[in-house]
Amino acid sequence: MSDSLESPRAGSGHADGEPLPPPHGGHDSHADPLLALANVEVLYAEVILALKGVSLSVPRAGCVALLGANGAGKSTTLKAISGIIDAEDGRVSAGGIIFDGRSIRGHDTAGVVRAGLVHVMEGRRVLPHMTVAQNLIIGGHMFPSTVAMRRALDAVYQAIPRLSELRTRTAGYLSGGEQQLLVIGRAIMAEPKLMLIDEPSLGLAPRMVEEVFAVLHRLREQGLALLIVEQNTRVALALADYGYVMEGGRIVLEGQADELRANEDVREFYLGLDREGGRKSFRDIKHYRRRKRWLG
């Protein structure tokens, strides 16, 4: 596949030439989105339909949360956008993926990164036998000169001061939270316009969750757009402007972050809160999830 990202033909939504429908939803800030998915479907092993017409958008310098239970299709959505899906016996079988005005459906991951989109995958995938500094340098391998590399490295240390303190430490010996900061730092070495980030708080102590999300807040303030998959709905909606809820490979609910926080279904299904704001018991949450399904 070619690394170059050609502008789509007029009236064309993707490489197959099908018309690109408008993104799902009507929030005005997405009139000229940085990222737009329209009716995207993903097949695994040419048999399993994992995504079923997913449409969403991310505005320039905005933050969007993608919420849902395990197996809803959230990580698959990120992999379809970045192109990693092709390495997992999957493919985007229908729909359009437009990034910064150009179709990226079918382009390889390296070309997508060069276009300004990076994907921080779940699981804190550091290079364990290398130092923090070496991990970061690998993230900036596309820079044309050492001077440019050093400038980007300094910017990462300024954005995430803890990494500067740990620069000579071996990555495999870092805590889970420190490794999460490292993979975020390695991603921003590529100077992206949009970061896809999958479950940044997974398995972290509350104090490290606060530190990781403080970094994401700072990156937002610097103009980086974010599409975040996160099981911790509370912190995700505190960071995001807008959110989508997935179930069964579909978008079943969307809205402004404050609207979703106030939505009774989201509060009970994901936050475990009752109507008065008190915490529900685990048994009550399980009962609610058995009887309530978004699609009826």
Side-chain angles (χ1 to χ4, degrees):
M1 296 180 184
S2 172
D3 290 346
S4 62
L5 301 180
E6 300 295 337
S7 299
R9 298 184 302 275
S12 170
H14 52 73
D16 297 335
E18 299 173 10
L20 180 64
H24 184 56
H27 41 143
D28 294 338
S29 62
H30 288 204
D32 179 28
L34 178 61
L35 174 73
L37 275 64
N39 298 327
V40 169
E41 296 185 355
V42 165
L43 276 174
Y44 279 111
E46 298 298 327
V47 174
I48 302 168
L49 185 61
L51 296 186
K52 306 165 187 176
V54 170
S55 298
L56 59 82
S57 57
V58 179
R60 298 176 186 277
C63 179
V64 171
L66 192 55
L67 311 174
N70 287 333
K74 307 182 302 298
S75 295
T76 296
T77 300
L78 299 192
K79 292 173 182 177
I81 295 166
S82 66
I84 293 173
I85 197 77
D86 295 338
E88 299 187 351
D89 199 20
R91 68 180 180 90
V92 177
S93 56
I97 304 175
I98 304 297
F99 175 66
D100 203 15
R102 296 174 289 182
S103 174
I104 58 172
R105 176 181 164 184
H107 289 274
D108 67 11
T109 303
V112 172
V113 171
R114 278 192 285 270
L117 187 154
V118 296
H119 183 177
V120 179
M121 297 181 68
E122 179 186 345
R124 301 187 285 274
R125 304 183 185 202
V126 300
L127 300 169
H129 302 299
M130 295 186 176
T131 66
V132 166
Q134 289 168 336
N135 269 266
L136 293 175
I137 288 169
I138 286 175
H141 69 279
M142 295 182 183
F143 283 110
S145 69
T146 303
V147 172
M149 172 80 73
R150 176 56 58 184
R151 185 168 56 246
L153 198 58
D154 290 342
V156 170
Y157 289 145
Q158 184 174 2
I160 313 176
R162 185 186 281 259
L163 293 182
S164 180
E165 301 167 7
L166 299 170
R167 66 179 75 190
T168 60
R169 290 277 302 278
T170 302
Y173 292 107
L174 301 179
S175 70
E178 290 166 343
Q179 290 183 350
Q180 186 64 62
L181 293 175
L182 177 54
V183 294
I184 292 172
R186 189 171 65 196
I188 63 179
M189 280 292 291
E191 299 184 335
K193 301 172 185 175
L194 171 65
M195 180 187 294
L196 315 179
I197 182 164
D198 197 350
E199 300 287 5
S201 77
L202 186 65
L204 302 186
R207 182 179 61 83
M208 286 308 304
V209 172
E210 291 179 6
E211 186 167 348
V212 167
F213 274 81
V215 168
L216 295 177
H217 274 285
R218 289 198 295 272
L219 294 175
R220 281 211 61 195
E221 291 170 356
Q222 295 171 10
L224 177 64
L226 298 172
L227 176 57
I228 179 171
V229 163
E230 178 55 65
Q231 285 286 332
N232 189 332
T233 305
R234 195 184 317 276
V235 296
L237 292 178
L239 176 68
D241 308 305
Y242 201 85
Y244 297 87
V245 179
M246 293 192 72
E247 184 171 293
R250 295 183 174 94
I251 301 292
V252 295
L253 184 67
E254 65 174 280
Q256 299 293 333
D258 55 354
E259 295 173 354
L260 292 179
R261 283 195 297 269
N263 183 288
E264 179 186 340
D265 287 336
V266 173
R267 287 168 62 82
E268 293 200 46
F269 200 94
Y270 292 106
L271 301 183
L273 301 176
D274 59 26
R275 294 183 183 183
E276 289 73 37
R279 184 156 294 281
K280 296 170 69 70
S281 70
F282 178 68
R283 185 182 67 180
D284 290 341
I285 296 170
K286 285 183 67 178
H287 175 69
Y288 181 84
R289 291 182 179 183
R290 281 197 301 268
R291 68 180 172 84
K292 179 71 176 182
R293 288 295 179 266
W294 299 106
L295 298 179

